[in-house]
Amino acid sequence: MTGKAKVTQVVDELIVRLNDINPDNGFFNSLPAPVMDDDPALYFDEHTKLPCMGIRNISDRITSQSRGATNQIRTVEIVAYVERQPDGRANQDKLLQDIYRTVFRPESLKFDGLIVEIEAGEAQLDDVELGTKILPIYLPITLTYNTLNWR
């Protein structure tokens, strides 16, 4: 067992799944760089290749706690960008579909034998403040998981 908190392991596994987005794996897109653990817009420069993707933490809360287990909810946001071009909207839709397909695979995320529930919020597909060169995708993902409280 690693020294990482369970939620860190869960988010790391989500990043691993998103890094699988590649036509060789049956997806529409190929990511030219690994998925970041932050919003890629913070690091944009003239060399940033699109599409790019990252995950940022939004919130974390405990919903219940007993002597044996703690039920927690972590909300993260998948942030992705595609190039704005004549077929940019279609590329945006394809990348969003790739994200859904990799996050909601038939096999569940399990750690210590406990299943992690994954729920997607409503995707936002536009942000005028980012300018005209890119089209964004903001997809909140809620992860519900249990942590066992034994010593």
mmCIF file with all atom_site columns, all heavy atoms in Angstrom, residues 94-118:
data_model
loop_
_atom_site.group_PDB
_atom_site.id
_atom_site.type_symbol
_atom_site.label_atom_id
_atom_site.label_alt_id
_atom_site.label_comp_id
_atom_site.label_asym_id
_atom_site.label_entity_id
_atom_site.label_seq_id
_atom_site.pdbx_PDB_ins_code
_atom_site.Cartn_x
_atom_site.Cartn_y
_atom_site.Cartn_z
_atom_site.occupancy
_atom_site.B_iso_or_equiv
_atom_site.pdbx_formal_charge
_atom_site.auth_seq_id
_atom_site.auth_comp_id
_atom_site.auth_asym_id
_atom_site.auth_atom_id
_atom_site.pdbx_PDB_model_num
ATOM 1   N N   . LYS A 1 94  ? -16.220 15.759 -29.843 1.00 0.00 ? 94  LYS A N   1
ATOM 2   C CA  . LYS A 1 94  ? -15.513 14.471 -29.874 1.00 0.00 ? 94  LYS A CA  1
ATOM 3   C C   . LYS A 1 94  ? -14.639 14.284 -28.639 1.00 0.00 ? 94  LYS A C   1
ATOM 4   O O   . LYS A 1 94  ? -14.595 13.196 -28.064 1.00 0.00 ? 94  LYS A O   1
ATOM 5   C CB  . LYS A 1 94  ? -14.658 14.360 -31.133 1.00 0.00 ? 94  LYS A CB  1
ATOM 6   C CG  . LYS A 1 94  ? -15.460 14.116 -32.391 1.00 0.00 ? 94  LYS A CG  1
ATOM 7   C CD  . LYS A 1 94  ? -14.536 14.046 -33.596 1.00 0.00 ? 94  LYS A CD  1
ATOM 8   C CE  . LYS A 1 94  ? -15.318 13.853 -34.870 1.00 0.00 ? 94  LYS A CE  1
ATOM 9   N NZ  . LYS A 1 94  ? -14.420 13.882 -36.045 1.00 0.00 ? 94  LYS A NZ  1
ATOM 10  N N   . LEU A 1 95  ? -13.959 15.359 -28.213 1.00 0.00 ? 95  LEU A N   1
ATOM 11  C CA  . LEU A 1 95  ? -13.114 15.235 -27.023 1.00 0.00 ? 95  LEU A CA  1
ATOM 12  C C   . LEU A 1 95  ? -13.976 15.017 -25.776 1.00 0.00 ? 95  LEU A C   1
ATOM 13  O O   . LEU A 1 95  ? -13.634 14.199 -24.921 1.00 0.00 ? 95  LEU A O   1
ATOM 14  C CB  . LEU A 1 95  ? -12.220 16.471 -26.850 1.00 0.00 ? 95  LEU A CB  1
ATOM 15  C CG  . LEU A 1 95  ? -11.232 16.399 -25.678 1.00 0.00 ? 95  LEU A CG  1
ATOM 16  C CD1 . LEU A 1 95  ? -10.332 15.162 -25.777 1.00 0.00 ? 95  LEU A CD1 1
ATOM 17  C CD2 . LEU A 1 95  ? -10.385 17.666 -25.619 1.00 0.00 ? 95  LEU A CD2 1
ATOM 18  N N   . LEU A 1 96  ? -15.107 15.698 -25.695 1.00 0.00 ? 96  LEU A N   1
ATOM 19  C CA  . LEU A 1 96  ? -16.012 15.485 -24.565 1.00 0.00 ? 96  LEU A CA  1
ATOM 20  C C   . LEU A 1 96  ? -16.507 14.040 -24.540 1.00 0.00 ? 96  LEU A C   1
ATOM 21  O O   . LEU A 1 96  ? -16.546 13.397 -23.486 1.00 0.00 ? 96  LEU A O   1
ATOM 22  C CB  . LEU A 1 96  ? -17.187 16.462 -24.620 1.00 0.00 ? 96  LEU A CB  1
ATOM 23  C CG  . LEU A 1 96  ? -18.175 16.385 -23.455 1.00 0.00 ? 96  LEU A CG  1
ATOM 24  C CD1 . LEU A 1 96  ? -17.485 16.621 -22.112 1.00 0.00 ? 96  LEU A CD1 1
ATOM 25  C CD2 . LEU A 1 96  ? -19.304 17.382 -23.661 1.00 0.00 ? 96  LEU A CD2 1
ATOM 26  N N   . GLN A 1 97  ? -16.828 13.493 -25.710 1.00 0.00 ? 97  GLN A N   1
ATOM 27  C CA  . GLN A 1 97  ? -17.249 12.092 -25.789 1.00 0.00 ? 97  GLN A CA  1
ATOM 28  C C   . GLN A 1 97  ? -16.114 11.166 -25.344 1.00 0.00 ? 97  GLN A C   1
ATOM 29  O O   . GLN A 1 97  ? -16.340 10.190 -24.631 1.00 0.00 ? 97  GLN A O   1
ATOM 30  C CB  . GLN A 1 97  ? -17.699 11.749 -27.207 1.00 0.00 ? 97  GLN A CB  1
ATOM 31  C CG  . GLN A 1 97  ? -18.255 10.345 -27.309 1.00 0.00 ? 97  GLN A CG  1
ATOM 32  C CD  . GLN A 1 97  ? -18.795 10.035 -28.695 1.00 0.00 ? 97  GLN A CD  1
ATOM 33  O OE1 . GLN A 1 97  ? -18.952 10.901 -29.545 1.00 0.00 ? 97  GLN A OE1 1
ATOM 34  N NE2 . GLN A 1 97  ? -19.062 8.775  -28.930 1.00 0.00 ? 97  GLN A NE2 1
ATOM 35  N N   . ASP A 1 98  ? -14.873 11.470 -25.747 1.00 0.00 ? 98  ASP A N   1
ATOM 36  C CA  . ASP A 1 98  ? -13.714 10.676 -25.316 1.00 0.00 ? 98  ASP A CA  1
ATOM 37  C C   . ASP A 1 98  ? -13.575 10.702 -23.791 1.00 0.00 ? 98  ASP A C   1
ATOM 38  O O   . ASP A 1 98  ? -13.307 9.679  -23.160 1.00 0.00 ? 98  ASP A O   1
ATOM 39  C CB  . ASP A 1 98  ? -12.419 11.211 -25.938 1.00 0.00 ? 98  ASP A CB  1
ATOM 40  C CG  . ASP A 1 98  ? -12.255 10.849 -27.402 1.00 0.00 ? 98  ASP A CG  1
ATOM 41  O OD1 . ASP A 1 98  ? -12.999 9.986  -27.911 1.00 0.00 ? 98  ASP A OD1 1
ATOM 42  O OD2 . ASP A 1 98  ? -11.356 11.441 -28.044 1.00 0.00 ? 98  ASP A OD2 1
ATOM 43  N N   . ILE A 1 99  ? -13.778 11.887 -23.204 1.00 0.00 ? 99  ILE A N   1
ATOM 44  C CA  . ILE A 1 99  ? -13.682 12.014 -21.750 1.00 0.00 ? 99  ILE A CA  1
ATOM 45  C C   . ILE A 1 99  ? -14.747 11.148 -21.075 1.00 0.00 ? 99  ILE A C   1
ATOM 46  O O   . ILE A 1 99  ? -14.444 10.371 -20.165 1.00 0.00 ? 99  ILE A O   1
ATOM 47  C CB  . ILE A 1 99  ? -13.812 13.492 -21.310 1.00 0.00 ? 99  ILE A CB  1
ATOM 48  C CG1 . ILE A 1 99  ? -12.598 14.298 -21.795 1.00 0.00 ? 99  ILE A CG1 1
ATOM 49  C CG2 . ILE A 1 99  ? -13.957 13.592 -19.789 1.00 0.00 ? 99  ILE A CG2 1
ATOM 50  C CD1 . ILE A 1 99  ? -12.760 15.810 -21.673 1.00 0.00 ? 99  ILE A CD1 1
ATOM 51  N N   . TYR A 1 100 ? -15.988 11.265 -21.533 1.00 0.00 ? 100 TYR A N   1
ATOM 52  C CA  . TYR A 1 100 ? -17.063 10.442 -20.954 1.00 0.00 ? 100 TYR A CA  1
ATOM 53  C C   . TYR A 1 100 ? -16.742 8.952  -21.084 1.00 0.00 ? 100 TYR A C   1
ATOM 54  O O   . TYR A 1 100 ? -16.927 8.183  -20.144 1.00 0.00 ? 100 TYR A O   1
ATOM 55  C CB  . TYR A 1 100 ? -18.402 10.719 -21.644 1.00 0.00 ? 100 TYR A CB  1
ATOM 56  C CG  . TYR A 1 100 ? -19.067 12.025 -21.273 1.00 0.00 ? 100 TYR A CG  1
ATOM 57  C CD1 . TYR A 1 100 ? -19.697 12.791 -22.240 1.00 0.00 ? 100 TYR A CD1 1
ATOM 58  C CD2 . TYR A 1 100 ? -19.103 12.489 -19.966 1.00 0.00 ? 100 TYR A CD2 1
ATOM 59  C CE1 . TYR A 1 100 ? -20.333 13.987 -21.917 1.00 0.00 ? 100 TYR A CE1 1
ATOM 60  C CE2 . TYR A 1 100 ? -19.729 13.681 -19.631 1.00 0.00 ? 100 TYR A CE2 1
ATOM 61  C CZ  . TYR A 1 100 ? -20.343 14.415 -20.609 1.00 0.00 ? 100 TYR A CZ  1
ATOM 62  O OH  . TYR A 1 100 ? -20.976 15.591 -20.283 1.00 0.00 ? 100 TYR A OH  1
ATOM 63  N N   . ARG A 1 101 ? -16.266 8.543  -22.242 1.00 0.00 ? 101 ARG A N   1
ATOM 64  C CA  . ARG A 1 101 ? -15.999 7.113  -22.476 1.00 0.00 ? 101 ARG A CA  1
ATOM 65  C C   . ARG A 1 101 ? -14.877 6.581  -21.597 1.00 0.00 ? 101 ARG A C   1
ATOM 66  O O   . ARG A 1 101 ? -14.911 5.425  -21.182 1.00 0.00 ? 101 ARG A O   1
ATOM 67  C CB  . ARG A 1 101 ? -15.660 6.869  -23.950 1.00 0.00 ? 101 ARG A CB  1
ATOM 68  C CG  . ARG A 1 101 ? -16.888 6.949  -24.848 1.00 0.00 ? 101 ARG A CG  1
ATOM 69  C CD  . ARG A 1 101 ? -16.568 6.709  -26.316 1.00 0.00 ? 101 ARG A CD  1
ATOM 70  N NE  . ARG A 1 101 ? -15.874 5.464  -26.509 1.00 0.00 ? 101 ARG A NE  1
ATOM 71  C CZ  . ARG A 1 101 ? -14.845 5.305  -27.347 1.00 0.00 ? 101 ARG A CZ  1
ATOM 72  N NH1 . ARG A 1 101 ? -14.384 6.310  -28.057 1.00 0.00 ? 101 ARG A NH1 1
ATOM 73  N NH2 . ARG A 1 101 ? -14.271 4.142  -27.478 1.00 0.00 ? 101 ARG A NH2 1
ATOM 74  N N   . THR A 1 102 ? -13.885 7.387  -21.318 1.00 0.00 ? 102 THR A N   1
ATOM 75  C CA  . THR A 1 102 ? -12.786 6.894  -20.480 1.00 0.00 ? 102 THR A CA  1
ATOM 76  C C   . THR A 1 102 ? -13.101 6.980  -18.995 1.00 0.00 ? 102 THR A C   1
ATOM 77  O O   . THR A 1 102 ? -12.718 6.113  -18.217 1.00 0.00 ? 102 THR A O   1
ATOM 78  C CB  . THR A 1 102 ? -11.448 7.600  -20.792 1.00 0.00 ? 102 THR A CB  1
ATOM 79  O OG1 . THR A 1 102 ? -10.399 6.863  -20.184 1.00 0.00 ? 102 THR A OG1 1
ATOM 80  C CG2 . THR A 1 102 ? -11.419 9.018  -20.328 1.00 0.00 ? 102 THR A CG2 1
ATOM 81  N N   . VAL A 1 103 ? -13.845 8.005  -18.565 1.00 0.00 ? 103 VAL A N   1
ATOM 82  C CA  . VAL A 1 103 ? -14.196 8.132  -17.150 1.00 0.00 ? 103 VAL A CA  1
ATOM 83  C C   . VAL A 1 103 ? -15.214 7.063  -16.754 1.00 0.00 ? 103 VAL A C   1
ATOM 84  O O   . VAL A 1 103 ? -15.116 6.465  -15.687 1.00 0.00 ? 103 VAL A O   1
ATOM 85  C CB  . VAL A 1 103 ? -14.731 9.550  -16.843 1.00 0.00 ? 103 VAL A CB  1
ATOM 86  C CG1 . VAL A 1 103 ? -15.337 9.622  -15.451 1.00 0.00 ? 103 VAL A CG1 1
ATOM 87  C CG2 . VAL A 1 103 ? -13.617 10.582 -16.990 1.00 0.00 ? 103 VAL A CG2 1
ATOM 88  N N   . PHE A 1 104 ? -16.183 6.806  -17.625 1.00 0.00 ? 104 PHE A N   1
ATOM 89  C CA  . PHE A 1 104 ? -17.255 5.858  -17.313 1.00 0.00 ? 104 PHE A CA  1
ATOM 90  C C   . PHE A 1 104 ? -17.042 4.527  -18.024 1.00 0.00 ? 104 PHE A C   1
ATOM 91  O O   . PHE A 1 104 ? -17.869 4.063  -18.780 1.00 0.00 ? 104 PHE A O   1
ATOM 92  C CB  . PHE A 1 104 ? -18.624 6.462  -17.657 1.00 0.00 ? 104 PHE A CB  1
ATOM 93  C CG  . PHE A 1 104 ? -18.933 7.657  -16.817 1.00 0.00 ? 104 PHE A CG  1
ATOM 94  C CD1 . PHE A 1 104 ? -18.798 8.929  -17.336 1.00 0.00 ? 104 PHE A CD1 1
ATOM 95  C CD2 . PHE A 1 104 ? -19.321 7.511  -15.496 1.00 0.00 ? 104 PHE A CD2 1
ATOM 96  C CE1 . PHE A 1 104 ? -19.067 10.043 -16.554 1.00 0.00 ? 104 PHE A CE1 1
ATOM 97  C CE2 . PHE A 1 104 ? -19.583 8.612  -14.703 1.00 0.00 ? 104 PHE A CE2 1
ATOM 98  C CZ  . PHE A 1 104 ? -19.455 9.885  -15.233 1.00 0.00 ? 104 PHE A CZ  1
ATOM 99  N N   . ARG A 1 105 ? -15.908 3.904  -17.761 1.00 0.00 ? 105 ARG A N   1
ATOM 100 C CA  . ARG A 1 105 ? -15.637 2.573  -18.301 1.00 0.00 ? 105 ARG A CA  1
ATOM 101 C C   . ARG A 1 105 ? -16.500 1.555  -17.572 1.00 0.00 ? 105 ARG A C   1
ATOM 102 O O   . ARG A 1 105 ? -16.909 1.786  -16.433 1.00 0.00 ? 105 ARG A O   1
ATOM 103 C CB  . ARG A 1 105 ? -14.166 2.218  -18.084 1.00 0.00 ? 105 ARG A CB  1
ATOM 104 C CG  . ARG A 1 105 ? -13.228 3.055  -18.896 1.00 0.00 ? 105 ARG A CG  1
ATOM 105 C CD  . ARG A 1 105 ? -11.808 2.631  -18.637 1.00 0.00 ? 105 ARG A CD  1
ATOM 106 N NE  . ARG A 1 105 ? -10.900 3.499  -19.362 1.00 0.00 ? 105 ARG A NE  1
ATOM 107 C CZ  . ARG A 1 105 ? -9.589  3.450  -19.244 1.00 0.00 ? 105 ARG A CZ  1
ATOM 108 N NH1 . ARG A 1 105 ? -9.031  2.574  -18.438 1.00 0.00 ? 105 ARG A NH1 1
ATOM 109 N NH2 . ARG A 1 105 ? -8.836  4.273  -19.939 1.00 0.00 ? 105 ARG A NH2 1
ATOM 110 N N   . PRO A 1 106 ? -16.738 0.408  -18.211 1.00 0.00 ? 106 PRO A N   1
ATOM 111 C CA  . PRO A 1 106 ? -17.554 -0.620 -17.549 1.00 0.00 ? 106 PRO A CA  1
ATOM 112 C C   . PRO A 1 106 ? -16.971 -1.098 -16.226 1.00 0.00 ? 106 PRO A C   1
ATOM 113 O O   . PRO A 1 106 ? -17.691 -1.365 -15.287 1.00 0.00 ? 106 PRO A O   1
ATOM 114 C CB  . PRO A 1 106 ? -17.588 -1.763 -18.564 1.00 0.00 ? 106 PRO A CB  1
ATOM 115 C CG  . PRO A 1 106 ? -17.262 -1.143 -19.870 1.00 0.00 ? 106 PRO A CG  1
ATOM 116 C CD  . PRO A 1 106 ? -16.393 0.048  -19.571 1.00 0.00 ? 106 PRO A CD  1
ATOM 117 N N   . GLU A 1 107 ? -15.633 -1.173 -16.130 1.00 0.00 ? 107 GLU A N   1
ATOM 118 C CA  . GLU A 1 107 ? -15.042 -1.623 -14.864 1.00 0.00 ? 107 GLU A CA  1
ATOM 119 C C   . GLU A 1 107 ? -15.015 -0.457 -13.877 1.00 0.00 ? 107 GLU A C   1
ATOM 120 O O   . GLU A 1 107 ? -14.772 0.676  -14.238 1.00 0.00 ? 107 GLU A O   1
ATOM 121 C CB  . GLU A 1 107 ? -13.639 -2.200 -15.069 1.00 0.00 ? 107 GLU A CB  1
ATOM 122 C CG  . GLU A 1 107 ? -12.559 -1.193 -15.419 1.00 0.00 ? 107 GLU A CG  1
ATOM 123 C CD  . GLU A 1 107 ? -12.415 -0.899 -16.906 1.00 0.00 ? 107 GLU A CD  1
ATOM 124 O OE1 . GLU A 1 107 ? -13.263 -1.310 -17.698 1.00 0.00 ? 107 GLU A OE1 1
ATOM 125 O OE2 . GLU A 1 107 ? -11.438 -0.225 -17.258 1.00 0.00 ? 107 GLU A OE2 1
ATOM 126 N N   . SER A 1 108 ? -15.290 -0.744 -12.631 1.00 0.00 ? 108 SER A N   1
ATOM 127 C CA  . SER A 1 108 ? -15.345 0.271  -11.581 1.00 0.00 ? 108 SER A CA  1
ATOM 128 C C   . SER A 1 108 ? -13.942 0.580  -11.078 1.00 0.00 ? 108 SER A C   1
ATOM 129 O O   . SER A 1 108 ? -13.025 -0.215 -11.219 1.00 0.00 ? 108 SER A O   1
ATOM 130 C CB  . SER A 1 108 ? -16.171 -0.227 -10.401 1.00 0.00 ? 108 SER A CB  1
ATOM 131 O OG  . SER A 1 108 ? -17.480 -0.484 -10.788 1.00 0.00 ? 108 SER A OG  1
ATOM 132 N N   . LEU A 1 109 ? -13.814 1.734  -10.456 1.00 0.00 ? 109 LEU A N   1
ATOM 133 C CA  . LEU A 1 109 ? -12.601 2.045  -9.703  1.00 0.00 ? 109 LEU A CA  1
ATOM 134 C C   . LEU A 1 109 ? -12.772 1.404  -8.331  1.00 0.00 ? 109 LEU A C   1
ATOM 135 O O   . LEU A 1 109 ? -13.787 1.600  -7.672  1.00 0.00 ? 109 LEU A O   1
ATOM 136 C CB  . LEU A 1 109 ? -12.470 3.549  -9.496  1.00 0.00 ? 109 LEU A CB  1
ATOM 137 C CG  . LEU A 1 109 ? -11.968 4.406  -10.634 1.00 0.00 ? 109 LEU A CG  1
ATOM 138 C CD1 . LEU A 1 109 ? -11.963 5.873  -10.211 1.00 0.00 ? 109 LEU A CD1 1
ATOM 139 C CD2 . LEU A 1 109 ? -10.584 4.021  -11.063 1.00 0.00 ? 109 LEU A CD2 1
ATOM 140 N N   . LYS A 1 110 ? -11.783 0.613  -7.895  1.00 0.00 ? 110 LYS A N   1
ATOM 141 C CA  . LYS A 1 110 ? -11.861 -0.021 -6.581  1.00 0.00 ? 110 LYS A CA  1
ATOM 142 C C   . LYS A 1 110 ? -10.522 0.169  -5.871  1.00 0.00 ? 110 LYS A C   1
ATOM 143 O O   . LYS A 1 110 ? -9.469  -0.006 -6.476  1.00 0.00 ? 110 LYS A O   1
ATOM 144 C CB  . LYS A 1 110 ? -12.135 -1.521 -6.706  1.00 0.00 ? 110 LYS A CB  1
ATOM 145 C CG  . LYS A 1 110 ? -13.537 -1.876 -7.056  1.00 0.00 ? 110 LYS A CG  1
ATOM 146 C CD  . LYS A 1 110 ? -13.733 -3.379 -7.000  1.00 0.00 ? 110 LYS A CD  1
ATOM 147 C CE  . LYS A 1 110 ? -15.128 -3.752 -7.435  1.00 0.00 ? 110 LYS A CE  1
ATOM 148 N NZ  . LYS A 1 110 ? -15.342 -5.191 -7.386  1.00 0.00 ? 110 LYS A NZ  1
ATOM 149 N N   . PHE A 1 111 ? -10.588 0.496  -4.598  1.00 0.00 ? 111 PHE A N   1
ATOM 150 C CA  . PHE A 1 111 ? -9.406  0.574  -3.760  1.00 0.00 ? 111 PHE A CA  1
ATOM 151 C C   . PHE A 1 111 ? -9.734  -0.089 -2.435  1.00 0.00 ? 111 PHE A C   1
ATOM 152 O O   . PHE A 1 111 ? -10.773 0.191  -1.842  1.00 0.00 ? 111 PHE A O   1
ATOM 153 C CB  . PHE A 1 111 ? -8.982  2.035  -3.527  1.00 0.00 ? 111 PHE A CB  1
ATOM 154 C CG  . PHE A 1 111 ? -8.439  2.677  -4.762  1.00 0.00 ? 111 PHE A CG  1
ATOM 155 C CD1 . PHE A 1 111 ? -9.246  3.442  -5.566  1.00 0.00 ? 111 PHE A CD1 1
ATOM 156 C CD2 . PHE A 1 111 ? -7.114  2.494  -5.140  1.00 0.00 ? 111 PHE A CD2 1
ATOM 157 C CE1 . PHE A 1 111 ? -8.764  4.025  -6.723  1.00 0.00 ? 111 PHE A CE1 1
ATOM 158 C CE2 . PHE A 1 111 ? -6.618  3.071  -6.291  1.00 0.00 ? 111 PHE A CE2 1
ATOM 159 C CZ  . PHE A 1 111 ? -7.437  3.836  -7.084  1.00 0.00 ? 111 PHE A CZ  1
ATOM 160 N N   . ASP A 1 112 ? -8.871  -0.949 -1.965  1.00 0.00 ? 112 ASP A N   1
ATOM 161 C CA  . ASP A 1 112 ? -9.102  -1.706 -0.734  1.00 0.00 ? 112 ASP A CA  1
ATOM 162 C C   . ASP A 1 112 ? -10.442 -2.430 -0.783  1.00 0.00 ? 112 ASP A C   1
ATOM 163 O O   . ASP A 1 112 ? -11.130 -2.564 0.226   1.00 0.00 ? 112 ASP A O   1
ATOM 164 C CB  . ASP A 1 112 ? -9.046  -0.785 0.498   1.00 0.00 ? 112 ASP A CB  1
ATOM 165 C CG  . ASP A 1 112 ? -7.694  -0.122 0.669   1.00 0.00 ? 112 ASP A CG  1
ATOM 166 O OD1 . ASP A 1 112 ? -6.677  -0.760 0.318   1.00 0.00 ? 112 ASP A OD1 1
ATOM 167 O OD2 . ASP A 1 112 ? -7.657  1.023  1.128   1.00 0.00 ? 112 ASP A OD2 1
ATOM 168 N N   . GLY A 1 113 ? -10.851 -2.858 -1.964  1.00 0.00 ? 113 GLY A N   1
ATOM 169 C CA  . GLY A 1 113 ? -12.101 -3.586 -2.127  1.00 0.00 ? 113 GLY A CA  1
ATOM 170 C C   . GLY A 1 113 ? -13.349 -2.717 -2.111  1.00 0.00 ? 113 GLY A C   1
ATOM 171 O O   . GLY A 1 113 ? -14.457 -3.213 -2.187  1.00 0.00 ? 113 GLY A O   1
ATOM 172 N N   . LEU A 1 114 ? -13.190 -1.396 -1.995  1.00 0.00 ? 114 LEU A N   1
ATOM 173 C CA  . LEU A 1 114 ? -14.335 -0.494 -1.941  1.00 0.00 ? 114 LEU A CA  1
ATOM 174 C C   . LEU A 1 114 ? -14.496 0.230  -3.269  1.00 0.00 ? 114 LEU A C   1
ATOM 175 O O   . LEU A 1 114 ? -13.536 0.779  -3.816  1.00 0.00 ? 114 LEU A O   1
ATOM 176 C CB  . LEU A 1 114 ? -14.154 0.525  -0.807  1.00 0.00 ? 114 LEU A CB  1
ATOM 177 C CG  . LEU A 1 114 ? -14.005 -0.076 0.589   1.00 0.00 ? 114 LEU A CG  1
ATOM 178 C CD1 . LEU A 1 114 ? -13.648 1.017  1.592   1.00 0.00 ? 114 LEU A CD1 1
ATOM 179 C CD2 . LEU A 1 114 ? -15.281 -0.771 1.008   1.00 0.00 ? 114 LEU A CD2 1
ATOM 180 N N   . ILE A 1 115 ? -15.719 0.253  -3.776  1.00 0.00 ? 115 ILE A N   1
ATOM 181 C CA  . ILE A 1 115 ? -15.998 0.884  -5.066  1.00 0.00 ? 115 ILE A CA  1
ATOM 182 C C   . ILE A 1 115 ? -16.074 2.399  -4.896  1.00 0.00 ? 115 ILE A C   1
ATOM 183 O O   . ILE A 1 115 ? -16.602 2.904  -3.919  1.00 0.00 ? 115 ILE A O   1
ATOM 184 C CB  . ILE A 1 115 ? -17.323 0.349  -5.657  1.00 0.00 ? 115 ILE A CB  1
ATOM 185 C CG1 . ILE A 1 115 ? -17.160 -1.118 -6.028  1.00 0.00 ? 115 ILE A CG1 1
ATOM 186 C CG2 . ILE A 1 115 ? -17.764 1.166  -6.861  1.00 0.00 ? 115 ILE A CG2 1
ATOM 187 C CD1 . ILE A 1 115 ? -18.410 -1.753 -6.574  1.00 0.00 ? 115 ILE A CD1 1
ATOM 188 N N   . VAL A 1 116 ? -15.551 3.102  -5.887  1.00 0.00 ? 116 VAL A N   1
ATOM 189 C CA  . VAL A 1 116 ? -15.640 4.561  -5.938  1.00 0.00 ? 116 VAL A CA  1
ATOM 190 C C   . VAL A 1 116 ? -16.744 4.906  -6.928  1.00 0.00 ? 116 VAL A C   1
ATOM 191 O O   . VAL A 1 116 ? -16.715 4.475  -8.076  1.00 0.00 ? 116 VAL A O   1
ATOM 192 C CB  . VAL A 1 116 ? -14.299 5.172  -6.405  1.00 0.00 ? 116 VAL A CB  1
ATOM 193 C CG1 . VAL A 1 116 ? -14.425 6.682  -6.559  1.00 0.00 ? 116 VAL A CG1 1
ATOM 194 C CG2 . VAL A 1 116 ? -13.179 4.803  -5.445  1.00 0.00 ? 116 VAL A CG2 1
ATOM 195 N N   . GLU A 1 117 ? -17.734 5.660  -6.469  1.00 0.00 ? 117 GLU A N   1
ATOM 196 C CA  . GLU A 1 117 ? -18.808 6.089  -7.371  1.00 0.00 ? 117 GLU A CA  1
ATOM 197 C C   . GLU A 1 117 ? -18.365 7.354  -8.089  1.00 0.00 ? 117 GLU A C   1
ATOM 198 O O   . GLU A 1 117 ? -17.779 8.247  -7.479  1.00 0.00 ? 117 GLU A O   1
ATOM 199 C CB  . GLU A 1 117 ? -20.087 6.360  -6.584  1.00 0.00 ? 117 GLU A CB  1
ATOM 200 C CG  . GLU A 1 117 ? -20.687 5.120  -5.963  1.00 0.00 ? 117 GLU A CG  1
ATOM 201 C CD  . GLU A 1 117 ? -21.929 5.443  -5.156  1.00 0.00 ? 117 GLU A CD  1
ATOM 202 O OE1 . GLU A 1 117 ? -22.632 6.418  -5.495  1.00 0.00 ? 117 GLU A OE1 1
ATOM 203 O OE2 . GLU A 1 117 ? -22.181 4.722  -4.188  1.00 0.00 ? 117 GLU A OE2 1
ATOM 204 N N   . ILE A 1 118 ? -18.673 7.422  -9.404  1.00 0.00 ? 118 ILE A N   1
ATOM 205 C CA  . ILE A 1 118 ? -18.300 8.565  -10.225 1.00 0.00 ? 118 ILE A CA  1
ATOM 206 C C   . ILE A 1 118 ? -19.558 9.147  -10.840 1.00 0.00 ? 118 ILE A C   1
ATOM 207 O O   . ILE A 1 118 ? -20.358 8.417  -11.421 1.00 0.00 ? 118 ILE A O   1
ATOM 208 C CB  . ILE A 1 118 ? -17.322 8.146  -11.349 1.00 0.00 ? 118 ILE A CB  1
ATOM 209 C CG1 . ILE A 1 118 ? -16.064 7.515  -10.757 1.00 0.00 ? 118 ILE A CG1 1
ATOM 210 C CG2 . ILE A 1 118 ? -16.964 9.342  -12.223 1.00 0.00 ? 118 ILE A CG2 1
ATOM 211 C CD1 . ILE A 1 118 ? -15.137 6.909  -11.798 1.00 0.00 ? 118 ILE A CD1 1
#
